[in-house]
């Protein structure tokens, strides 16, 4: 049921977004660029709007968003319950799971950060 509701929500947002891109291309470009500012996507001069902007509200976009949202349904964590075994990608590009890094009974420490 949750997957069906997510499918309906994402499909509706993609249809509305695609319609707005067709009817109001300049306004949607400004909107998408504004979203790119928040994620710093458009700060790289080699990565222009023409490279990524038109992919918004495409069929591939729809499939990607569905995949991410459906996967997140499995990633709920509750205090006192086992941690979700979330898929992660290593720096070499290998896909594994978070709990694969557990060693014996030692705690697993996650350190989040960012580099610019």
């Amino acid at each position: 049921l949750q997957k069906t509701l997510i499918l309906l929500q994402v499909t509706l947002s993609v249809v509305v977004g695609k319609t707005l891109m067709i009817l109001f291309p300049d306004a949607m470009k400004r909107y998408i660029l504004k979203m790119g500012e928040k994620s710093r996507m458009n700060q790289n001069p080699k990565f222009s709007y023409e490279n990524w902007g038109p992919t918004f509200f495409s069929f591939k976009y729809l499939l990607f968003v569905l995949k991410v949202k459906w996967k997140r349904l499995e990633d709920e964590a509750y205090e006192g319950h086992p941690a979700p075994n979330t898929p992660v990608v290593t720096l070499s590009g290998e896909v594994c799971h978070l709990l694969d890094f557990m060693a014996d009974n030692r705690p697993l420490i996650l350190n989040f950060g960012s580099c610019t």
Side-chain angles (χ1 to χ4, degrees):
L1 180 63
Q2 285 180 318
K3 284 188 174 184
T4 304
L5 291 174
I6 290 171
L7 172 66
L8 292 173
Q9 177 210 10
V10 172
T11 303
L12 179 64
S13 68
V14 168
V15 168
V16 169
K18 189 65 157 180
T19 303
L20 290 173
M21 282 185 83
I22 293 168
L23 296 176
F24 309 104
D26 293 333
M28 286 303 288
K29 181 178 179 178
R30 285 192 304 272
Y31 173 74
I32 292 171
L33 285 171
K34 196 69 159 171
M35 287 191 322
E37 285 177 12
K38 290 179 184 177
S39 66
R40 299 183 183 174
M41 209 169 181
N42 55 359
Q43 288 184 352
N44 184 345
K46 295 180 182 177
F47 196 52
S48 67
Y49 170 81
E50 287 71 26
N51 291 340
W52 56 271
T55 64
F56 277 75
F57 309 116
S58 66
F59 186 67
K60 281 186 174 183
Y61 174 87
L62 169 76
L63 294 178
F64 176 76
V65 172
L66 283 176
K67 181 180 171 184
V68 169
K69 286 186 173 273
W70 285 346
K71 194 68 179 156
R72 286 189 180 162
L73 287 174
E74 304 167 7
D75 288 347
E76 293 186 38
Y78 299 98
E79 186 176 344
H81 290 84
N85 198 13
T86 305
V88 293
V89 180
T90 65
L91 293 175
S92 62
E94 178 188 352
V95 177
C96 52
H97 288 83
L98 187 63
L99 298 180
D100 295 342
F101 296 96
M102 291 290 294
D104 298 323
N105 63 351
R106 296 178 59 191
L108 176 64
I109 298 174
L110 302 176
N111 184 11
F112 296 94
S114 95
C115 299
T116 54

